[in-house]
Amino acid sequence: MFDFITNYASINLLPAIFASLFASIHFHNKTMLRKSLNLIQVYSSNQFRQNIRTLYVSATNEAARKGTREKARAKKVKVEIKKVAFVPFNRKKLKIDMTNKHIDDSWKAIPADDVYVGKYYRWRVYTAPEAIEAHKETHHPSMYNEPNAPLFAHVELNMQGEKVTRFVENFYRIAPVQHKFDHGQERTILVFTKGQENIEMAKNAGATYVGGTELVKDIQNGDLLLTDYQYAIAHPNILPDLLPIRGLMKKKYPNPKNGTLGADLDEIIRRFQNGIQYSAMKDENQKDFGLITAQIGTLDMETSHLEENLASLLKDVNTVRPKRAGKFITRVLLKSPPSKEQLKIDPFVYVDVGKPEVKKEVTLKKSKKRGRSFAKSVDEEEVVEPAVKEAAN
Amino acid sequence: MLKNLLNTGIKSPAQHLLLAANNFNAQQIRTTFILKRKYPMLLNKKNLPPRPLRARDYVYDLIEDTNVKKHPDVEVILTSYVSGIGKKGDIVKVSPSYAYNKLLLPGLAAYVTPQTVEKYVNLDDSVKEETYSSPFALRTMNMIQNKVFSIVMNQTHPWVIEPWHIRVSLRKAGFNILHDSSIELPKEKITGPDLTIQNKGFSVVVTINNTEKVEVKCKIHHWTRDPDIKLPYVFEHYKLPVEPIPGVGKPESLTNTIDK
């Protein structure tokens, strides 16, 4: 800056400016210093505009160090432009059904007549035996003539977890059945156990392949493929020998939580062979809506047996219930193709409803920051309310 | 000259009327807003004049706009049977606009006063009027009469039509009948499978709440899973006219009423 001034400033005014500058520094007078600096600025901007030449002070023109630019070039990530197939403009926006899948018809009336039009009222809630009998009617030989049609339970879940933003993971389970039926699925079960007795028992129970420690070596060698078996079950007596293949088995490694490890092999294998296999899947667009569709038997079974199977399915589903208030199982429908009827039943005969949801009341706590007088007025309102209610009564 | 006339300052009576005309049909203007100060006001000093209001003292939160407030339901007393609402003499609560436009204006209801209550609640049994067993019976009757219900029966297995077949078929169509006893079939037996009666109809009588008897039209449809003998799908079959099954008459209660 001083270079600039000495080069271009006219000498007439400079001494006065410098005198004030030095005086200000000498007397520690801040305002004076500021004024004198301003003066220099004004002086330079107004008086010598014509004479100003651009000063080159930046280092942009200096050559970059060798390799710096190359390094920078190497650092740049090439963005590949993906070619997108042509999509017609009318299909660009996906039409997503945004309606709430948790259907609530409690606003509708309860029918009082003995003949009524269903659509004006709440869905009729059957007891499970009633609904099963109704399906048996439609599948009677005189009508559909499908007496051994499969009976499906359609279980709707509220997948919301303990927090509003958290959801229960999709789950795949097997529910035990009291009365076995032909589910039409091939289930392959691998059983690890020691002792001839246990091996015999497992074979009788319906295991696909049974073996002891020799299986561990086969798996390690690759002679036995774990992918051929859907489930792996083990007796606790062989567990220490299974440790080497723990990494290979991954999620199939037997553990008591999944019910794949236990001393009562007969019961476990029967459960896996005959049980109700089901999966609860969250809806793609509505994360708090989960759906299970599982077969609980065939219509030619006894009604009470079907009801027991349904109960055990619902109880098994309820074990996954998150620790929160409100319903987990929200609605259960019974279906049986080829009939398109969906008969609603009350699941809470078999499982707990859960604690009722408590809706948080919106309080005006924010206002307390603002001052005492406002907080008082809030209190006053609360006091006034009951009196108003009484008056209204 | 006209200018002079106007400047006289004398107004004709018609002018008053014209000015007033705007307010003849004027509605009450509801301009009450319930507000709350957003920021607390400062307290005044003792023995001093009150503080002037600051800009922020004019900032309010809107608590309620009385102009858009929902009006409570009103009670009216019905002067005759109204489908979906109630029977004569019933005191019902409905929204004010519905009460005014649909009940009070057509004369189906009156405001609840001691006089109207006396007039309509304490009815003479001697004066018989057309009433129904429930507010919704008429609606159900109208809906059930105007449809032809398909009775889906098996194409290979022999059957005889029974009341529960009708109940199941109506349930599938969204009409609930709680008791088989409220279904009356024709005297003649309808048996099958018989492709000569395919798509042909018959009448049954359904009794609502043991009082109203309705004729319900049904038609036979033969169903099978066997693709070789399965009947072809008829497009919009429900729009086609239905011929009656030959030799099958109407249920007894229906013929009796016609005779009367």
Side-chain angles (χ1 to χ4, degrees), chain B residues 9-53:
Chain B
I10 305 160
K11 281 178 183 172
S12 70
Q15 260 178 315
H16 285 289
L17 266 177
L18 282 169
L19 283 170
N22 286 334
N23 298 327
F24 273 153
N25 212 6
Q27 291 285 310
Q28 178 195 358
I29 307 162
R30 297 176 184 86
T31 47
T32 309
F33 295 89
I34 300 169
L35 305 175
K36 189 182 221 171
R37 275 221 165 75
K38 196 161 186 183
Y39 307 107
M41 274 180 68
L42 292 176
L43 298 175
N44 291 325
K45 287 260 164 70
K46 250 184 198 174
N47 303 327
L48 280 176
R51 284 172 191 273
L53 293 176

Side-chain angles (χ1 to χ4, degrees), chain A residues 109-122 124 126 130-131 133-146 337-341 343 364 367 370-375 377-378 381, chain B residues 36-41 43 61 63 133-137 139-140 143-144 151-160 164-165 167-169 171-172 174-179 182 206-210 223 225:
Chain A
I110 299 166
D113 303 351
D114 65 353
V115 178
Y116 62 92
V117 191
K119 69 173 175 180
Y120 295 119
Y121 300 93
R122 289 183 202 175
R124 188 174 168 187
Y126 295 80
E130 268 175 4
E133 286 301 326
H135 277 305
K136 283 183 177 177
E137 280 173 348
T138 50
H139 293 68
H140 189 266
S142 62
M143 298 190 90
Y144 282 125
N145 194 14
E146 301 261 339
S339 166
K340 283 176 188 169
E341 270 188 304
L343 305 177
L364 291 167
S367 56
R370 298 270 180 203
R372 227 167 141 194
S373 57
F374 191 82
S377 70
V378 172
E381 266 186 6
Chain B
K36 189 182 221 171
R37 275 221 165 75
K38 196 161 186 183
Y39 307 107
M41 274 180 68
L43 298 175
D61 281 332
I63 304 295
S133 58
S134 89
F136 302 104
R139 182 179 70 186
T140 312
M143 290 189 73
I144 214 167
I151 312 294
V152 178
M153 302 303 285
N154 201 269
Q155 202 174 327
T156 48
H157 201 275
W159 44 259
V160 179
W164 70 263
H165 287 128
R167 174 171 55 78
V168 168
S169 301
R171 190 181 68 212
K172 273 158 66 179
F175 288 79
N176 287 299
I177 301 173
L178 299 189
H179 314 293
S182 48
V206 171
T207 316
I208 303 169
N209 297 335
N210 287 326
W223 187 93
R225 269 219 161 157

Side-chain angles (χ1 to χ4, degrees), chain B residues 93-127:
Chain B
K93 257 192 165 184
V94 284
S95 83
S97 60
Y98 183 86
Y100 186 74
N101 294 315
K102 297 289 161 98
L103 300 177
L104 293 166
L105 276 187
L108 298 170
Y111 286 111
V112 181
T113 59
Q115 288 81 17
T116 52
V117 170
E118 199 185 345
K119 193 175 173 189
Y120 297 110
V121 170
N122 311 320
L123 279 173
D124 275 354
D125 287 340
S126 57
V127 186

